[in-house]
Amino acid sequence: MCGIAGYVGDEQARGIIIDGLKRLEYRGYDSAGIAVAGGGGLQIRKAVGRIDNLEKLIAEEPVKGSTGIGHTRWATHGEPTWANAHPHTDQEGGIAVVHNGIIENYAEIRAWLKEEHGVEFRSETDTEVIAQLIGLMYKGDLLEAVFEAVSKLRGAYAIGAVCAGEPDRIVAVRNDAPLIVGLGENCNFLASDIPAMLKYCRSIYFIENSETVLITKDDVTIFNAKREEVKRDIYHVTMDADAAEKGGHDHFMIKEIYEQPQGIMKTIERRMDGGGRIKLDGIKLGKGELGAIDRVYIVACGTAYHAGLVGKYAIERFAGIPVEVDIASEFRYRSPFVNKKTLFICISQSGETLDTLMALREAKKRGARVLSIVNVVGSSVARESDDVFYTWAGPEIAVASTKAFTTQMMCLYLLALYMAGETGALDSGRFQSLMDELKQVPEKISEILAREDEIEKIAKRIYKKENIFFIGRGLDASVAFEGALKLKEISYIHAFAIAAGELKHGTIALIDMDTLVIALASQDALNEKIISNIKEVKARGAEVISLVKDGNAKIAGESDDTIYIPACMDEVAPIMAIVPLQLLAYHIAKLRGCDIDKPKNLAKSVTVE
Ligand code: AGP
């Protein structure tokens, strides 16, 4: 998500704005910029990459003025480049705008401005359309121009605007993207989130949807959609800056676990149209293209690889197309059977994992078509792929991947269903029931999150264990691998995952008195099989915690403790089943006093082979 910071007062704006943007770095970004209005007119400074790059630029080319706005950009429309970085200006350079959100009708406004008013655009962004529109409407009153321009916009947006001719004010608008105003002494602040201004003030106004606010150093005036002035209660912020960055959570990991319902909704909402059809962001994977493919490879690392295991199941089961899944670091040393008839799907949250990138390049060299499932817009994997299917999970800061995993799986389900629709492999009734099931996932995950206390109780009982086994069959095996990885990487417990049917082929020798086994049992079709595995390990003295769907008393009766998930179709159970395991890993690590967001030896993106 992007970040917005603004200041109007007696001090120089630049330092205060940069400081505010730094407090929003947790939102993830790929470029930053500021616009300052003052004696020297409207001065713009932008830089790609970290905020430090922007600071260096400002040190070399200072800006002067006590009114300004700043922005950290998380790319949605257009690559992370200098031209696409905010602020954007109108063509006269008298209006500067920063923006969070998406303008749905930006293309038609852009065409209208270009054709009817000869506006020459300098970026690919929807934000520049706002700046150009305000510039067109400007007749000497910034507030009026913003009212007029915003009346033509559709979408979710938080906007900040400054003007060379009115260097004592900021005008801002909120519609579905958060915006707050901070009230200081002889100064006022604008921000997309509380942390940006906590150092300077703790009295704030929350701006509501369809409201416009005029900010000067002495006054803040809020207007509703009818342009009537409205009164607003002052909210007094009590949380500390660090907690505010995590949305009140103790760690980024738990914040991101809780963001999964909204993340998955974002993954779905762009891809399911009202008619129950799936849209693939323009990716051409129709009957013709699928007819030209004789093999699908899914290649990734770590958590993304585990999502790939679920993707294999979904594509084979829904679309009837054979799929091979491979670990990226192994793939290219296997002289894989890849050629121009191969669809190579690579999955990567960061889009910078070198193992995955090298596997992608190997596949391209052999003629494969590359479709990547990525979270970071404009990342290396995204740029080097033929097609990109973004997860839209929003920035994932914690090293342990959570919302990226569930949104990756959602992307794979959508892809598999789309392919099934094209190949006719599913009858319409089954297709529709699977679509309906996917739509219920966000709500069911919210239900699981509401049961966090039950998970915490189990964590309190087992957090001192040094060895824990995860077992499962079919799709549950994939979830077992991911559940074990979560626990390993943040609690440093030796967590071992194995396909339950494999136990008897050697590993069961390790099971003895008080060995703890977590048995994934979400697959109704495999219930009898997993029950026999539970009996096998219990016969050797193991303690078993099973994870089952609500109402599965049979397996609960075989277990020492049970974790429940809402009833759902076997096929989509992995998206639900992993959530209690994420929470379990989190609470165990917390009880063990581990550095949850930055575990030892790990990096968020592994850019070495
Ligand atoms: C996940 O919890 C791990 N941090 C790690 O396995 C990660 O999934 C792997 O390094 C792949 O990263 P990527 O998705 O950014 O390519």
Side-chain angles (χ1 to χ4, degrees):
M1 290 164 288
C2 308
I4 289 176
Y7 170 81
V8 193
D10 296 327
E11 308 294 326
Q12 284 301 312
R14 62 176 180 275
I16 295 169
I17 292 170
I18 292 289
D19 190 53
L21 292 180
K22 286 185 170 181
R23 298 301 300 185
L24 299 175
E25 285 192 291
Y26 69 91
R27 299 163 72 97
Y29 65 99
D30 40 55
S31 57
I34 67 169
V36 171
L42 202 52
Q43 306 138 76
I44 310 283
R45 299 289 183 272
K46 307 195 288 188
V48 176
R50 312 302 299 165
I51 293 173
D52 298 347
N53 299 344
L54 177 62
E55 270 190 304
K56 285 191 197 97
L57 175 63
I58 293 170
E60 289 155 13
E61 300 169 36
V63 291
K64 281 191 178 319
S66 57
T67 299
I69 49 177
H71 187 265
T72 49
R73 179 173 184 250
W74 169 260
T76 53
H77 287 77
E79 305 295 330
T81 60
W82 183 92
N84 288 334
H86 300 203
H88 288 282
T89 61
D90 68 323
Q91 52 189 1
E92 278 73 45
I95 307 277
V97 165
V98 293
H99 156 237
N100 280 355
I102 294 201
I103 304 301
E104 287 165 5
N105 62 335
Y106 86 98
E108 54 199 83
I109 298 175
R110 184 186 175 108
W112 175 73
L113 287 168
K114 201 173 166 64
E115 285 145 28
E116 301 297 318
H117 297 278
V119 171
E120 287 304 318
F121 283 86
R122 293 156 292 197
S123 80
E124 308 157 78
T125 67
D126 53 347
T127 307
E128 187 186 354
V129 167
I130 304 170
Q132 298 287 9
L133 200 51
I134 295 173
L136 183 72
M137 303 292 170
Y138 186 71
K139 305 280 181 292
D141 183 331
L142 180 59
L143 179 62
E144 281 306 313
V146 170
F147 277 141
E148 288 305 311
V150 165
S151 68
K152 299 182 185 310
L153 301 181
R154 254 198 350 265
Y157 48 82
I159 297 167
V162 290
C163 171
E166 300 171 52
D168 65 340
R169 61 196 53 205
I170 297 173
V171 175
V173 190
R174 188 233 160 129
N175 194 46
D176 280 342
L179 204 59
I180 51 182
V181 173
L183 310 173
E185 291 295 318
N186 304 317
C187 62
N188 289 305
F189 303 83
L190 175 72
S192 49
D193 200 356
I194 289 173
M197 54 177 69
L198 265 188
K199 182 176 169 184
Y200 305 99
C201 67
R202 286 181 171 272
S203 301
I204 66 172
Y205 287 137
F206 286 107
I207 305 306
E208 304 298 343
N209 273 353
S210 307
E211 289 184 341
T212 300
V213 55
L214 172 60
I215 307 166
T216 64
K217 81 182 185 79
D218 300 314
D219 292 302
V220 174
T221 315
I222 301 173
F223 301 88
N224 63 20
K226 297 193 190 94
R227 304 187 190 183
E228 300 153 341
E229 196 176 324
V230 295
K231 288 299 167 210
R232 180 62 34 81
D233 292 340
I234 292 176
Y235 175 81
H236 294 288
V237 180
T238 52
M239 70 169 74
D240 68 58
D242 196 35
E245 284 186 24
K246 302 181 183 94
H249 291 287
D250 291 342
H251 300 94
F252 283 115
M253 183 180 176
I254 190 70
K255 172 175 175 276
E256 288 152 12
I257 289 172
Y258 270 82
E259 285 174 343
Q260 291 183 112
Q262 113 198 41
I264 290 169
M265 274 190 270
K266 285 217 180 307
T267 307
I268 292 175
E269 70 188 8
R270 300 162 183 251
R271 281 83 183 238
M272 283 189 184
D273 67 13
R277 282 181 302 281
I278 293 176
K279 300 178 292 180
L280 285 194
D281 304 356
I283 296 171
K284 297 224 173 320
L285 209 51
K287 205 167 182 169
E289 289 84 4
L290 289 174
I293 290 167
D294 66 5
R295 181 190 304 266
V296 176
Y297 255 108
I298 300 179
V299 174
C301 302
T303 290
Y305 167 73
H306 298 149
L309 294 173
V310 175
K312 166 184 169 66
Y313 177 94
I315 294 172
E316 290 184 342
R317 182 61 69 95
F318 299 168
I321 298 172
V323 179
E324 290 203 44
V325 189
D326 210 347
I327 291 169
S329 54
E330 291 293 312
F331 171 78
R332 64 195 183 100
Y333 300 108
R334 260 197 235 285
S335 59
F337 296 104
V338 172
N339 56 38
K340 63 182 185 339
K341 301 187 78 174
T342 306
L343 173 63
F344 181 89
I345 300 175
C346 72
I347 308 171
S348 176
Q349 188 287 128
S350 62
E352 300 303 339
T353 299
L354 194 54
D355 284 332
T356 307
L357 196 53
M358 298 307 279
L360 178 159
R361 289 173 182 162
E362 180 66 25
K364 285 198 86 165
K365 200 164 68 183
R366 294 166 177 260
R369 176 184 175 186
V370 175
L371 188 161
S372 59
I373 295 175
V374 179
N375 193 36
V376 179
V377 175
S379 54
S380 303
V381 166
R383 285 200 310 275
E384 297 190 25
S385 299
D386 299 307
D387 299 294
V388 188
F389 199 41
Y390 284 115
T391 50
W392 300 123
E396 187 176 72
I397 309 298
V399 166
S401 193
T402 52
K403 63 177 183 175
F405 180 61
T406 45
T407 53
Q408 285 162 359
M409 286 193 284
M410 184 50 79
C411 281
L412 287 158
Y413 281 125
L414 291 169
L415 213 50
L417 273 181
Y418 181 87
M419 292 162 126
E422 289 299 312
T423 59
L426 285 180
D427 66 55
S428 58
R430 178 139 163 77
F431 182 92
Q432 198 49 55
S433 58
L434 286 163
M435 288 277 278
D436 294 343
E437 190 77 10
L438 292 180
K439 285 179 197 164
Q440 294 172 43
V441 165
E443 187 186 329
K444 290 185 175 178
I445 290 182
S446 298
E447 267 182 62
I448 296 169
L449 295 171
R451 304 175 185 178
E452 181 182 3
D453 291 349
E454 294 160 32
I455 300 296
E456 193 174 359
K457 274 198 208 101
I458 293 175
K460 282 179 180 157
R461 201 162 52 73
I462 66 173
Y463 78 95
K464 290 193 174 124
K465 290 282 183 184
E466 291 308 327
N467 292 288
I468 297 179
F469 285 74
F470 289 74
I471 67 171
R473 283 187 171 256
L475 280 169
D476 278 332
S478 311
V479 179
F481 295 134
E482 175 58 14
L485 175 60
K486 284 286 95 46
L487 187 58
K488 268 184 278 201
E489 64 178 329
I490 62 171
S491 74
Y492 316 138
I493 287 174
H494 181 256
F496 179 82
I498 185 169
E502 269 295 281
L503 269 170
K504 57 188 175 294
H505 300 288
T507 305
I508 201 160
L510 293 177
I511 306 293
D512 57 22
M513 292 309 286
D514 90 1
T515 301
L516 177 58
V517 175
I518 295 177
L520 283 294
S522 75
Q523 302 296 297
D524 299 339
L526 296 168
N527 259 205
E528 291 317 312
K529 293 292 180 190
I530 195 69
I531 285 177
S532 63
N533 297 131
I534 291 172
K535 288 178 187 288
E536 270 169 24
V537 295
K538 284 198 66 64
R540 288 155 180 84
E543 175 191 352
V544 173
I545 299 173
S546 59
L547 187 148
V548 299
K549 293 172 187 170
D550 285 342
N552 190 331
K554 189 168 183 192
I555 292 187
E558 298 288 343
S559 312
D560 299 290
D561 209 336
T562 308
I563 296 169
Y564 289 96
I565 61 171
C568 61
M569 290 170 84
D570 282 5
E571 291 85 342
V572 300
I575 291 197
M576 262 72 76
I578 191 57
V579 177
L581 302 184
Q582 293 167 346
L583 291 170
L584 186 64
Y586 174 78
H587 283 291
I588 289 175
K590 198 173 177 183
L591 287 161
R592 290 169 72 103
C594 298
D595 183 349
I596 290 172
D597 286 334
K598 297 191 181 77
K600 66 180 180 178
N601 310 337
L602 297 180
K604 183 56 187 168
S605 177
V606 182
T607 53
V608 292
E609 269 205 294

